[in-house]
Amino acid sequence: LAASEPDPLMTFVQGDGTVGGKVGTSLSIVVYVRDRFRNACPYSVLSQIQLGVRWPSGDGPSPEVKTTLDGRFFASYLAQEEGQAELSVVLSGYHVKGSPFSVIVVSSIGQYPVASKSFITNQSSSDIFAGENSYVIIQAVDVNGLYLKEGGSIAAANLNNQNNIQALSAIDRLDGTYAILLNVTSAGAYNFAVMILGSPLSGSPFSLTVLPAGLSTEHCLPSGAGLTISTAGSVGTFDIQAM
């Protein structure tokens, strides 16, 4: 089934290009085009996306949009002057959710992250499958809401299921983001607390549901008399415990 017509109200944008950064650097955005049912729209909608940046001195060059096949559209632009700017993202003639974005360009970005402004970038779903690797990515943000571009901070998380707490460390990706690996083997409901510099992120703890993994023939358990003996002409039976 194909996605229906793209919906500006369901389409959303991420990236430091929506908030700002340091003058002279490249700011990027990712546009996630969705239909009214939140399905990803194909690359054919590229021509319906228009971007514009207005600087204090006037309109700047329109960022070029590039695409993938899964409903993500990439663009970047140069933070050409300090001050307040405005980024517009228009789809099919209408602003997408959050547009126009207020962009701040400064001479330098703060050195330390603020936990209450930092966030998880890839929390599109609160469900994962047991036994599968899943990464949570934290974006560190300074006091002005700007994305940090260097590492050096300490991020961590706790996974709590019925008072059984598991401490998780984060991998410093040295670009202002931190990755936490989740690999939970027991299905169930969990609380997932995420911290940076010892303080919780806004919204933490998050709810996390670990779904049962797919069936494994290696671990399924057969039982019953029919496995070892049966009488000719009669029905032999046995049970299989799916695992």
Side-chain angles (χ1 to χ4, degrees):
L1 294 177
S4 60
E5 291 297 315
D7 187 338
L9 296 179
M10 292 297 177
T11 296
F12 60 98
V13 186
Q14 292 182 344
D16 58 358
T18 64
V19 293
K22 183 179 179 180
V23 66
T25 62
S26 178
L27 304 178
S28 61
I29 64 170
V30 183
V31 183
Y32 295 83
V33 180
R34 299 291 186 263
D35 68 9
R36 63 192 182 98
F37 303 107
R38 295 185 173 87
N39 297 308
C41 294
Y43 65 95
S44 57
V45 304
L46 175 63
S47 61
Q48 302 179 45
I49 302 173
Q50 292 84 40
L51 306 181
V53 184
R54 176 168 295 176
W55 300 98
S57 61
D59 292 340
S62 296
E64 179 185 359
V65 183
K66 300 180 180 180
T67 183
T68 64
L69 300 179
D70 59 357
R72 293 185 296 165
F73 299 83
F74 298 88
S76 62
Y77 64 94
L78 179 68
Q80 63 185 43
E81 59 183 274
E82 290 185 48
Q84 189 90 29
E86 184 179 272
L87 169 70
S88 296
V89 182
V90 175
L91 174 66
S92 304
Y94 297 93
H95 284 279
V96 304
K97 184 166 55 179
S99 177
F101 299 92
S102 179
V103 176
I104 301 174
V105 178
V106 296
S107 59
S108 62
I109 297 176
Q111 184 177 359
Y112 300 105
V114 175
S116 61
K117 294 180 178 292
S118 301
F119 61 93
I120 294 175
T121 66
N122 61 335
Q123 194 184 24
S124 58
S125 172
S126 59
D127 297 342
I128 63 174
F129 287 96
E132 294 187 1
N133 287 343
S134 178
Y135 283 93
V136 172
I137 308 299
I138 302 168
Q139 174 64 63
V141 177
D142 75 358
V143 68
N144 294 315
L146 303 180
Y147 293 18
L148 270 64
K149 296 295 186 179
E150 298 179 353
S153 298
I154 299 174
N158 290 325
L159 198 59
N160 187 345
N161 173 244
Q162 297 180 350
N163 297 322
N164 182 20
I165 300 177
Q166 179 183 359
L168 304 172
S169 59
I171 302 170
D172 188 346
R173 302 171 76 188
L174 304 178
D175 61 356
T177 64
Y178 301 82
I180 298 174
L181 171 63
L182 296 175
N183 188 315
V184 186
T185 55
S186 297
Y190 291 79
N191 284 329
F192 182 51
V194 184
M195 296 153 287
I196 192 164
L197 293 181
S199 297
L201 268 64
S202 177
S204 179
F206 306 97
S207 295
L208 178 69
T209 301
V210 180
L211 303 173
L215 292 179
S216 170
T217 55
E218 180 182 354
H219 295 95
C220 291
L221 300 176
S223 62
L227 292 172
T228 57
I229 188 171
S230 185
T231 303
S234 64
V235 177
T237 63
F238 62 91
D239 299 322
I240 298 178
Q241 174 62 54
M243 303 287 283

